[in-house]
């Protein structure tokens, strides 16, 4: 087994200092990064030589806020045991438990006041243990019947925030690998305020077994598909809303029928994960930094025996080793990174100077703003970096960007104060002066291919804003026709029912559609159904912000057609409307818009199938009468061969176990 290198170098001291300075709660200056979800009470876990209160983290649960109307001594017992061991505690407080699952927050505003009253009873009764509380669990996943949208979660969180008692810290949450980090960005951007964020991360995905390395095992995802997924989630938080991050669950599992940690854990994997987090923190000049990394789960929980450290001796050994690793704790003041970083092609390099003249060496260098296009920052009256003051600094943004077609592109920059933009060292925008937030545009012809984009920016005083994006490409045009007659959309659905749809689209423009260039089918503003089950990837931030991706191996030439096939779920109440249009994300919407009005009833149209959820039908054979999603060519058997290997049997089976038994 690999022996850990104890703290002995400047780099280790740097990581140590950043994690220490950013820890929260009482006596947090040097609290360890290391933690566990569901503390088992093991008195040998933490380092007894570390100061009490600085030995790590424990995450404990309140499954329903109404439980705090009564005696909380039972649910507080394990948390108190962790505190007695010198750990700091984070409580996750769920709204309620429904059908065996936790519901994060209410989505009906009529329930807000009672929920808020119950929530703050929890914080009051548990105040002797901690002041740090996560608002709910996994809101971006299915709960009971449908996901909570980013807007619904933010609205509920803001209701709590407005009445937060003094001293209580509330963490907003995005707790699931691997769903599109765009949900996090939308939610965080809508928050009135927060004290930080609680997230989850993976996992060993296929050949991606080293948590220190990026993983793109699923080509249709622009975000990481293993442990370093946490970086993309953090990057999605708008700059103006940045706060500390607590990773309250991590392990080697990645979902579905993949092996659980008891089956796939590799020696030193957790040690490498902590090394990765320390390295990440050491390169961050501004919040958010990661303050905690907690294994799920320590105690043997019902339903999760293959995740428990008690059942995985090697993982338990490695986690205990990290509790005793001085590199995970310390009290050195934060130092910004001045490492030499390359100019990336999937995000931006920021070089920050502590003056407006770009004089001398930058005091902070980092990679940020993941995506295919520009960025948008609003620091208010604050600083862009811990290593500058709030005024009198400069930033150079650089990246290599791919332009799919030759043509005229419109570059738009917004700044307070000065801004200059270049494309391959050719000046495009030059507005180098003190000014209130102002927007400038310039049209510039760009040949197809990769080009280096650079924006220089300075802040003199007052507010600080910097943004850049581009659209266009006149060498080829985008157009599309949604072929209604060749599409398949149900005329009727039951509330909360999930059905498969297919949408046929013909390329009537002069450009070629590819996944790499972000050509997708998008939902329109009148869409009220939830999208899921994409064969080549997609996302559903909200009904009006959903996408179905092209497969990475497809190229839809002018004149050709493509059929997008995925699932839709009817709302629990109200009209069901399915609206679609083609989009090139980051560039433009184009082509015809089609909308289907779907009649909704109150009963299950397929009574011989249990539960009114089409994806549960996968428990049946491919030709079960009354279960259209299992017929040959259906959701669970798309190629009609009588086998499940090409469908989504796994999800159907597990949802059947949770909802129907």
């Amino acid at each position: 087994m690999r022996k850990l290198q104890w703290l002995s170098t400047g780099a280790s001291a740097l990581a140590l200092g950043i994690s220490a300075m950013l820890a929260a709660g009482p006596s947090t200056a040097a609290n360890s990064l290391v933690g566990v979800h569901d503390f088992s009470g093991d008195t040998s876990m933490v380092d007894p030589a570390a100061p009490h209160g600085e030995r790590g983290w424990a995450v404990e649960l309140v499954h329903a806020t109404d439980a705090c109307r009564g005696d909380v001594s039972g649910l507080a017992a394990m948390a108190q045991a962790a505190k007695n061991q010198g750990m700091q505690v984070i409580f996750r407080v769920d709204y309620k438990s429904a059908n065996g699952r936790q519901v994060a927050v209410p989505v009906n505003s009529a329930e807000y006041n009672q929920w808020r009253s119950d929530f703050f009873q929890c914080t009051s009764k548990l105040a002797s243990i901690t002041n740090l509380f996560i608002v709910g669990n996994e809101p971006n996943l299915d709960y009971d019947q449908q996901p909570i949208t980013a807007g619904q979660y933010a609205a509920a969180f803001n209701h709590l925030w407005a009445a937060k008692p003094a001293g209580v810290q509330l963490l907003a949450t995005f707790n699931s690998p691997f769903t599109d980090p765009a949900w996090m960005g939308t939610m965080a951007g809508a928050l009135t305020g927060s004290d930080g964020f609680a997230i989850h991360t993976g996992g060993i995905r296929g050949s991606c077994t080293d948590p220190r390395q990026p993983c793109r095992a699923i080509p249709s995802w622009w975000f990481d598909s293993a442990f370093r997924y946490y970086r993309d989630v953090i990057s999605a938080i708008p700059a103006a809303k940045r706060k500390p991050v607590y990773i309250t669950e991590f392990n080697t599992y990645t979902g579905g029928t993949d092996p659980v940690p008891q089956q796939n854990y590799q020696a030193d994997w957790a040690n490498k994960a902590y090394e990765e987090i320390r390295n990440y923190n050491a390169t961050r000049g501004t919040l958010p930094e990661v303050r905690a990394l907690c294994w799920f789960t320590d105690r043997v929980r019902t339903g999760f025996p293959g995740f428990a450290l008690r059942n995985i001796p090697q993982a338990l050994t490695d986690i205990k080793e990290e509790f005793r690793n001085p590199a995970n704790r310390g009290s050195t003041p934060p130092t910004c990174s001045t490492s030499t970083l390359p100019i990336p092609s999937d995000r931006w390099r920021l070089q920050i100077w502590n003056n407006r003249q770009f004089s001398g060496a930058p005091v902070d260098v980092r990679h940020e703003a993941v995506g295919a296009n520009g960025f948008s920052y609003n620091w208010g009256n604050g600083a862009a970096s811990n290593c500058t003051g709030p005024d009198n600094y400069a930033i150079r943004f650089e990246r290599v960007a791919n332009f799919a077609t030759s043509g005229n592109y419109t570059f738009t920059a917004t700044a307070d104060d000065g801004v200059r933009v270049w494309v391959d060292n050719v000046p495009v925008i030059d507005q180098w002066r003190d000014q209130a937030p102002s927007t400038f545009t310039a049209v510039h012809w760009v040949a197809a291919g990769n080009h280096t984009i650079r924006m220089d920016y300075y802040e003199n005083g007052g507010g600080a804003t910097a943004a850049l994006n581009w659209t266009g490409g006149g060498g080829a045009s985008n157009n599309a026709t949604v072929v209604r007659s060749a599409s398949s959309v149900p005329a009727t659905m039951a509330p909360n029912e999930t059905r498969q749809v297919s949408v046929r689209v013909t390329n009537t423009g002069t450009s070629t559609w590819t996944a790499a260039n972000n050509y997708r089918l998008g939902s329109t503003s009148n869409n009220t159904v939830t999208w899921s089950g994409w064969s080549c990837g997609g996302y559903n931030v909200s009904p009006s912000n959903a996408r179905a991706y092209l497969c990475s191996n497809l190229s839809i030439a002018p004149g050709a057609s493509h059929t997008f096939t995925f699932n839709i779920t009817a709302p629990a109440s109200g009209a069901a409307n399915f609206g679609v249009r083609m989009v090139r994300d980051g560039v433009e919407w184009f082509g015809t818009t089609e909308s289907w009005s779907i009649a909704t009833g109150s009963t299950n149209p397929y009574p011989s199938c249990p539960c009114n959820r089409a994806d549960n039908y996968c428990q049946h054979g491919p030709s079960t009468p009354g279960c259209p999603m299992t017929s040959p060519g259906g959701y669970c058997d798309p190629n009609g061969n009588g086998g499940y290997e090409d469908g989504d049997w796994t999800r159907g089976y597990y949802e059947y176990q949770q909802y129907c038994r």
Side-chain angles (χ1 to χ4, degrees):
M1 177 179 171
R2 178 179 59 87
K3 296 298 183 183
L4 289 176
Q5 297 296 316
W6 299 130
L7 183 61
S8 59
T9 66
S12 297
L14 175 61
L16 165 61
I18 290 178
S19 64
M21 180 244 181
L22 295 171
S27 185
T28 61
N31 193 28
S32 174
L33 282 168
V34 190
V36 292
H37 195 289
D38 303 309
F39 180 53
S40 67
D42 182 357
T43 58
S44 70
M45 177 165 285
V46 300
D47 181 3
H52 198 279
E54 299 178 7
R55 297 173 185 174
W57 301 88
V59 181
E60 304 298 335
L61 312 181
V62 179
H63 292 293
T65 51
D66 61 10
C68 290
R69 298 175 196 169
D71 181 13
V72 301
S73 59
L75 66 88
M78 279 294 99
Q80 186 62 54
K83 184 175 181 180
N84 292 343
Q85 290 298 313
M87 304 163 77
Q88 292 189 42
V89 176
I90 304 172
F91 265 111
R92 190 190 83 206
V93 183
D94 300 321
Y95 171 41
K96 63 180 180 179
S97 180
N99 292 331
R101 302 184 66 165
Q102 284 76 51
V103 180
V105 298
V107 296
N108 182 350
S109 60
E111 301 172 25
Y112 280 1
N113 288 339
Q114 183 62 58
W115 166 64
R116 183 171 68 183
S117 175
D118 290 342
F119 194 102
F120 290 134
Q121 281 199 68
C122 291
T123 64
S124 176
K125 291 182 177 182
L126 298 170
S128 64
I129 299 175
T130 188
N131 67 344
L132 202 55
F133 297 87
I134 304 169
V135 181
N137 181 52
E138 300 184 348
N140 50 307
L141 286 188
D142 284 352
Y143 81 103
D144 195 9
Q145 295 174 334
Q146 64 183 12
I148 297 174
T149 68
Q152 288 170 332
Y153 180 83
F157 189 97
N158 290 340
H159 187 76
L160 277 188
W161 185 261
K164 184 180 73 157
V168 171
Q169 295 193 45
L170 299 180
L171 305 181
T173 186
F174 175 91
N175 278 15
S176 176
F178 298 90
T179 53
D180 197 311
W183 193 100
M184 173 60 134
T186 302
M187 178 272 284
L191 295 180
T192 303
S194 79
D195 293 302
F197 299 92
I199 67 174
H200 294 178
T201 197
I204 293 177
R205 173 80 71 177
S207 61
C208 302
T209 59
D210 189 335
R212 300 168 299 182
Q213 302 300 320
C215 173
R216 294 289 188 272
I218 301 177
S220 61
W221 292 353
W222 60 264
F223 49 93
D224 202 283
S225 56
F227 180 78
R228 281 175 41 138
Y229 165 84
Y230 77 90
R231 289 181 175 235
D232 298 300
V233 176
I234 292 174
S235 294
I237 303 171
K241 302 296 177 73
R242 289 184 172 177
K243 297 289 182 179
V245 169
Y246 303 79
I247 300 177
T248 53
E249 289 188 18
F250 87 107
N251 53 59
T252 55
Y253 179 61
T254 53
T257 58
D258 288 354
V260 298
Q262 194 174 27
Q263 298 167 329
N264 72 353
Y265 186 81
Q266 301 174 11
D268 296 327
W269 189 89
N271 305 121
K272 295 173 184 176
Y274 283 101
E275 178 184 325
E276 157 62 19
I277 295 298
R278 294 193 301 267
N279 290 341
Y280 171 82
N281 282 345
T283 65
R284 302 293 294 175
T286 63
L287 291 176
E289 272 78 21
V290 177
R291 295 186 179 181
L293 181 63
C294 303
W295 179 275
F296 176 84
T297 171
D298 178 31
R299 186 171 69 244
V300 181
R301 287 184 64 187
T302 301
F304 297 95
F307 295 75
L309 289 176
R310 305 300 113 189
N311 290 337
I312 314 170
Q314 183 62 67
L316 177 60
T317 296
D318 292 346
I319 294 293
K320 285 184 175 182
E321 191 174 70
E322 287 302 320
F323 268 110
R324 289 160 173 76
N325 185 351
N328 290 316
R329 53 178 303 274
S331 57
T332 306
T335 303
C336 299
S337 171
T338 56
S339 302
T340 301
L341 296 178
I343 299 176
S345 60
D346 63 341
R347 62 197 69 197
W348 292 80
R349 182 181 72 182
L350 279 64
Q351 296 174 288
I352 304 176
W353 279 260
N354 198 20
N355 59 73
R356 286 177 284 152
Q357 296 77 36
F358 300 91
S359 177
V363 296
D364 190 7
V365 182
R366 61 181 188 258
H367 285 163
E368 286 190 3
V370 175
N373 199 270
F375 54 84
S376 180
Y377 291 94
N378 183 345
W379 295 286
N381 292 320
S385 168
N386 282 341
C387 291
T388 71
D391 300 313
N392 194 37
Y393 59 82
I395 306 176
R396 177 162 293 154
F397 302 86
E398 291 178 284
R399 71 164 295 163
V400 174
N402 181 265
F403 292 77
T405 60
S406 301
N408 289 316
Y409 287 81
T410 299
F411 290 82
T412 303
T414 299
D416 173 0
D417 293 291
V419 60
R420 289 173 174 152
V421 178
W422 291 263
V423 178
D424 293 330
N425 296 318
V426 176
V428 175
I429 293 173
D430 187 355
Q431 300 291 336
W432 203 248
R433 61 178 182 271
D434 292 357
Q435 56 198 329
S438 304
T439 298
F440 309 97
T441 62
V443 177
H444 183 73
W445 192 90
V446 182
N450 291 333
H451 299 272
T452 300
I453 311 299
R454 169 181 153 192
M455 179 171 129
D456 282 1
Y457 161 82
Y458 80 80
E459 158 62 6
N460 187 10
T465 300
L468 175 67
N469 65 73
W470 55 87
T471 59
S477 64
N478 290 319
N479 205 355
T481 299
V482 179
V483 186
R484 194 180 184 96
S485 60
S487 302
S488 178
V489 178
T492 62
M493 294 178 70
N496 299 313
E497 184 189 10
T498 300
R499 297 281 298 276
Q500 188 180 70
V501 295
S502 61
V503 179
R504 187 75 167 173
V505 185
T506 300
N507 184 349
T508 55
T510 59
S511 58
T512 296
W513 304 346
T514 63
N517 288 320
N518 297 321
Y519 284 92
R520 300 163 176 174
L521 184 71
S523 64
T524 55
S525 59
N526 68 340
N527 181 77
T528 64
V529 296
T530 300
W531 296 16
S532 64
W534 311 272
S535 56
C536 297
Y539 68 82
N540 188 91
V541 173
S542 66
S544 61
N545 184 11
R547 299 287 188 272
Y549 297 169
L550 288 171
C551 293
S552 58
N553 62 339
L554 292 179
S555 179
I556 313 302
S561 297
H562 176 69
T563 299
F564 293 88
T565 301
F566 52 98
N567 296 334
I568 60 172
T569 301
S573 61
N577 198 72
F578 179 47
V580 300
R581 190 183 184 193
M582 282 297 297
V583 60
R584 184 180 180 196
D585 273 338
V587 180
E588 64 176 343
W589 291 85
F590 60 93
T592 63
T593 300
E594 283 292 339
S595 182
W596 287 264
S597 179
I598 303 170
T600 55
S602 59
T603 60
N604 183 354
Y606 310 110
S608 61
C609 293
C611 298
N612 189 18
R613 294 173 64 87
D615 45 355
N616 289 333
Y617 304 161
C618 300
Q619 61 159 316
H620 297 289
S623 301
T624 302
C627 293
M629 300 305 284
T630 61
S631 61
Y635 184 87
C636 300
D637 185 28
N639 68 5
N641 70 350
Y644 290 129
E645 72 282 351
D646 55 320
D648 197 2
W649 176 85
T650 301
R651 181 181 176 194
Y653 173 79
Y654 281 107
E655 291 199 352
Y656 168 71
Q657 297 294 318
Q658 291 194 7
Y659 288 94
C660 301
R661 297 190 63 177

